[in-house]
């Protein structure tokens, strides 16, 4: 084997377990799983189907069974979900997210829309933001028969984990979204273990550490590294959080998660931005578990608590 061939196997970016990039351009995504098809979930009775929005993105819709719907034919809240994965991995068709959305749609009950967006490095940011914004605009148009017949567009929630929580914040802050697509504010956002960071460590971040350079890798045009407002919404000069375009906010953090201090800081900052209106911000900390634990341990008692609390937040009027 020539030395050049050996060089092609050199690792140039190592963000295990999310992604490894080799000099040859080869990519490895160690956590990637084969997609699962939509259909009717045997455990919950929730029906699902895919709708392609563009050549590069699709959504998977979830409709709870009639017996789960509220009495009197009342329309259901709509939950638009954005998967996590550091903007480099994940899919609305992955087994973990498919199971999660079946459970969430049944628990609320709600019409759920799981968004599949383009991933870096093949499609660096803002591609994921753009796909997510387009998917939300499509939801709000009620062009789909499930949304038109069953969804209550006065109760639209955004939810997402990790990078998906970051997307939720980004969409809720978009002034163009508020002015062009929404006749009213979103009902709420649910940020589950959101991926926020910053140049200066807070809480126990310095000891815990973080995958340095991942944000810059997925967002080459970042304005100020980890203090880019898209990554650090509480950075000096970031748009004020009073512009979060929703009635209420839920932030979920996990005791064993490196990102927990940023999640808490975000929740506290939103309370301050709303003049101390703590009732509009709910903070849930799951003890003894780590980042997105509920995706890998759905039978864990803390996963059940998380699901119940999110369902209660969405169902409350």
């Amino acid at each position: 084997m020539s030395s050049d061939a050996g060089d092609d196997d050199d690792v140039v970016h190592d963000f295990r377990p999310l992604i490894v990039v080799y000099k040859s351009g080869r990519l490895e995504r160690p956590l990637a799983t084969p997609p699962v098809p939509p259909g009717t979930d045997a455990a919950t009775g929730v029906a699902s189907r895919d709708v392609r929005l563009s050549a590069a993105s699709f959504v998977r819709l979830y409709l709870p069974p009639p017996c789960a719907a509220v009495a009197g034919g009342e329309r259901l809240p709509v939950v638009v979900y954005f998967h996590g994965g550091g903007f480099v991995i994940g899919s609305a068709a992955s087994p973990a997210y498919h199971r999660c959305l079946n459970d969430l749609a049944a628990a609320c009950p709600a019409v759920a829309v799981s968004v599949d967006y383009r991933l870096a490095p093949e499609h660096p940011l803002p591609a994921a933001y753009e796909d997510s914004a387009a998917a939300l605009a499509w939801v709000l148009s009620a062009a789909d028969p499930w949304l038109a017949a069953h969804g209550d567009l006065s109760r639209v929630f955004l939810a997402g984990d990790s990078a998906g929580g970051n997307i939720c914040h980004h969409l809720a802050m978009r002034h163009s979204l508020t002015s062009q697509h929404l006749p009213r504010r979103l009902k709420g956002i649910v940020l589950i273990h959101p991926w926020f960071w910053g140049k200066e460590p807070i809480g126990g971040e310095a000891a815990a550490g973080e995958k340095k350079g991942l944000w810059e890798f997925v967002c080459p045009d970042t304005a100020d590294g980890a203090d880019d407002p898209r990554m650090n919404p509480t950075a000096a000069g970031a748009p004020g959080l009073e512009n979060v375009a929703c009635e209420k906010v839920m932030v979920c953090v996990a005791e064993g998660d490196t990102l927990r201090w940023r999640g808490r800081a975000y929740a506290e900052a939103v309370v301050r931005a709303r003049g101390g209106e703590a009732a509009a911000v709910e903070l849930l900390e799951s003890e003894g578990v780590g980042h997105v634990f509920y995706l890998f341990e759905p039978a864990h008692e803390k996963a059940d608590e998380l699901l119940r609390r999110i369902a209660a937040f969405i169902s409350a009027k």
Side-chain angles (χ1 to χ4, degrees):
M1 179 183 292
S2 69
S3 60
D4 288 344
D7 289 345
D8 284 346
D9 287 330
D10 289 347
V11 174
V12 293
H13 296 288
D14 190 344
F15 298 114
R16 266 182 274 247
L18 299 178
I19 192 169
V20 182
V21 182
Y22 293 88
K23 184 177 180 180
S24 64
R26 178 167 60 92
L27 304 176
E28 287 183 359
R29 292 178 164 97
L31 294 179
T33 53
V36 294
T40 300
D41 181 55
T44 62
V46 172
S48 60
R49 59 184 178 83
D50 292 344
V51 177
R52 181 153 293 282
L53 302 185
S54 71
S57 67
F58 70 91
V59 294
R60 179 163 292 184
L61 288 94
Y62 295 82
L63 185 68
C67 60
V70 290
E74 185 178 345
R75 289 176 178 269
L76 300 172
V78 177
V79 180
V80 186
Y81 194 96
F82 305 93
H83 69 77
F87 296 108
V88 298
I89 194 172
S91 168
S94 74
Y97 284 109
H98 184 61
R99 181 187 59 240
C100 175
L101 269 293
N102 276 314
D103 291 345
L104 182 61
C108 291
V111 181
V113 183
S114 186
V115 178
D116 198 82
Y117 51 82
R118 288 172 292 170
L119 300 175
E122 298 93 332
H123 304 282
L125 289 177
Y129 292 141
E130 292 170 349
D131 291 348
S132 299
L136 179 55
W138 177 83
V139 168
L140 295 171
S141 74
D144 185 84
W146 283 5
L147 289 166
H150 304 287
D152 181 353
L153 294 185
S154 70
R155 291 189 291 156
V156 174
F157 292 81
L158 308 184
D161 64 279
S162 198
N166 179 293
I167 291 173
C168 291
H169 165 74
H170 178 77
L171 293 182
M173 288 291 291
R174 283 172 64 113
H175 295 294
S176 61
L177 177 66
T178 304
S179 62
Q180 294 179 20
H181 299 304
L182 287 178
R184 61 185 69 79
R185 294 197 301 178
L186 297 164
K187 186 68 176 179
I189 57 174
V190 181
L191 278 56
I192 309 168
H193 311 168
W195 184 25
F196 298 134
W197 204 248
K199 289 182 176 179
E200 297 299 323
I202 63 173
E205 287 178 349
E210 170 68 338
K211 292 190 179 299
K212 295 186 181 298
L214 179 58
W215 168 250
E216 291 82 359
F217 175 70
V218 302
C219 188
D221 70 346
T222 182
D224 193 16
D227 276 344
D228 185 308
R230 292 170 292 185
M231 177 48 58
N232 185 0
T234 61
L241 295 180
E242 66 275 7
N243 295 313
V244 174
C246 63
E247 293 181 20
K248 56 183 184 175
V249 175
M250 182 177 189
V251 181
C252 305
V253 299
E255 183 183 21
D257 186 2
T258 306
L259 303 179
R260 66 187 182 276
W261 293 285
R262 294 286 167 176
R264 289 189 198 129
Y266 180 87
E268 293 164 359
V270 173
V271 170
R272 291 194 299 271
R274 298 191 171 196
E277 188 186 349
V281 181
E282 181 174 343
L283 177 64
L284 170 64
E285 178 160 354
S286 301
E287 299 176 353
V289 290
H291 189 63
V292 298
F293 70 96
Y294 65 99
L295 293 174
F296 307 106
E297 300 179 89
H300 196 291
E301 63 179 357
K302 293 297 181 180
D304 180 66
E305 178 190 25
L306 179 69
L307 178 63
R308 287 188 288 103
R309 290 283 295 273
I310 292 173
F313 177 83
I314 291 169
S315 301
K317 296 184 179 179

